[in-house]
Amino acid sequence: MTASVPATRREGGVTKRLMLAAGGSHPRLADAVAARLGTTIAPRTAHAFANGEVFVRFGTSVRGSDVFVLQTPTDPINTWLLESLIMLDALRRASAKTITVIWPFHPYGRQDKKHRGREPISARLVADLLATAGADRLMTVDLHTAQIQGFFAGPVDHLRAQPLLARHVRAAHPDADLTVVAPDSGRVRLAETWAELLGGRPIAFVQHRDSLQHGHGTEIVGDVRGRVCVVVDDMIDTGATMAGATRLLREHGAAQVIAAATHGVLSGDAPHRLAASGIGEVVLTDTVPLPPAKRFPGLTVLSVAPMLAEAIHEVFDDGSVTKLFEGAEGHKV
């Protein structure tokens, strides 16, 4: 298959070429982004040798192109991370003009600081690996902590999915008495952002998040009785926090519980845990692939492909990515 590469002639007779490349982790999202851009994904061959070594070769010239590499390092996370690095090395050695890495889900984002002695800061290590492999720019969605932007030496486009998720919640519950709930005190700032996006709603938060799965030692700060509670976080991994928060909120008289997060990692038996928790709805985006085995009744998945395609377009045309951070009402997140 030959890649369709759109060209834009700039002032001064300079021609820019956009090329979209994709790893093997999330083909559905890659195809959706390509369709929005009106292009196809650059052809490549990829395989593993008998001893597990990864090989990648692009099937068309990338010389002088502005290449956007889409990959979601998720399960198996180290496999897709390494494939990303090898793709970048191949593009750099093939004389790509610029290389922008698009990681809708940033791997190792939870390891952004040392909690105790003799621990790594793996998020910084990953940023160093990206730069060494040849990345000029990073585009990602809803980092676990915003400080990770400072680990990468080049420009970082930190896109936000909260407006997309909030629009869905508002449309699904237009007349409900909503309360935004942070699963711990560290997510209160996120809850405040959500409260504004939902039209100035009250917030509450869970004390002692780590004890949610044990069923004791937890308390809700804020009024949730008789209200539709929207529990917000950046990701759902095992589902234990959301399931525990649902139980706790129900005990405190919540009328309904909705979970909203950008990244649906859903490790292990998380889908079953969430489905059995009594939660009303789980709203996620498709930054991480969600195969049929991870789907369950009450799950809603929203696509970030339009946002990613628009961000690619703005970067390629030297436009403004900042405008993508603004919600429908002009609230800047």
Side-chain angles (χ1 to χ4, degrees):
M1 179 180 66
T2 301
S4 172
V5 181
T8 302
R9 185 166 296 280
R10 313 291 289 178
E11 292 183 5
V14 178
T15 300
K16 295 181 67 176
R17 293 198 307 151
L18 183 152
M19 179 173 290
L20 179 64
S25 62
H26 203 341
R28 178 174 295 182
L29 179 60
D31 289 341
V33 171
R36 299 282 301 194
L37 289 171
T39 187
T40 53
I41 299 168
R44 64 165 202 158
T45 56
H47 64 265
F49 292 104
N51 67 347
E53 293 181 2
V54 176
F55 173 84
V56 177
R57 181 182 186 274
F58 288 92
T60 189
S61 174
V62 302
R63 184 179 300 274
S65 298
D66 293 300
V67 186
F68 295 80
V69 184
L70 176 61
Q71 179 82 292
T72 294
T74 182
D75 187 28
I77 192 166
N78 294 323
T79 296
W80 300 125
L81 173 58
L82 185 59
E83 185 188 72
S84 296
L85 299 174
I86 292 174
M87 290 171 65
L88 298 182
D89 187 70
L91 291 167
R92 178 174 59 86
R93 296 178 187 278
S95 301
K97 182 181 178 182
T98 64
I99 303 173
T100 298
V101 173
I102 306 172
W103 273 352
F105 174 71
H106 194 290
Y108 290 89
R110 285 176 284 190
Q111 299 183 44
D112 63 317
K113 58 182 176 295
K114 292 178 65 173
H115 297 275
R116 295 176 297 177
R118 301 179 299 279
E119 290 185 347
I121 304 180
S122 302
R124 172 58 191 266
L125 172 62
V126 168
D128 290 342
L129 290 171
L130 278 181
T132 300
D136 299 298
R137 188 183 195 107
L138 173 63
M139 185 180 297
T140 189
V141 182
D142 288 343
L143 290 167
H144 185 64
T145 56
Q147 71 188 45
I148 296 174
Q149 296 177 78
F151 295 166
F152 186 72
V156 177
D157 299 307
H158 186 196
L159 307 180
R160 307 300 182 119
Q162 286 98 4
L164 172 67
L165 294 163
R167 283 195 295 270
H168 171 81
V169 173
R170 291 186 69 169
H173 305 275
D175 302 317
D177 292 326
L178 299 175
T179 292
V180 181
V181 180
D184 57 33
S185 58
R187 283 286 177 258
V188 169
R189 181 66 190 96
L190 175 63
E192 290 174 345
T193 297
W194 265 87
E196 293 185 48
L197 288 169
L198 292 174
R201 305 292 183 164
I203 68 171
F205 71 91
V206 177
Q207 287 184 317
H208 311 301
R209 170 181 178 146
D210 291 342
S211 61
L212 275 175
Q213 54 188 313
H214 305 306
H216 58 80
T218 54
E219 189 55 71
I220 296 289
V221 177
D223 182 22
V224 300
R225 185 169 299 278
R227 303 183 69 86
V228 176
C229 293
V230 185
V231 187
V232 298
D233 212 339
D234 65 307
M235 75 172 73
I236 300 177
D237 190 353
T238 66
T241 294
M242 288 297 180
T246 298
R247 172 193 52 75
L248 186 63
L249 289 166
R250 287 291 197 180
E251 290 175 358
H252 282 72
Q256 185 180 0
V257 180
I258 301 167
T262 301
H263 311 297
V265 179
L266 302 187
S267 301
D269 61 351
H272 173 75
R273 181 178 290 115
L274 291 168
S277 68
I279 201 166
E281 183 182 21
V282 178
V283 188
L284 304 170
T285 74
D286 61 350
T287 56
V288 175
L290 289 167
K294 289 190 175 184
R295 307 230 172 193
F296 54 91
L299 174 66
T300 299
V301 181
L302 308 177
S303 180
V304 296
M307 179 175 65
L308 293 178
E310 188 174 353
I312 291 171
H313 175 77
E314 293 296 334
V315 170
F316 179 66
D317 278 348
D318 300 323
S320 173
V321 179
T322 302
K323 71 179 185 180
L324 302 180
F325 301 167
E326 298 179 358
E329 291 74 35
H331 171 68
K332 200 168 185 178
V333 294

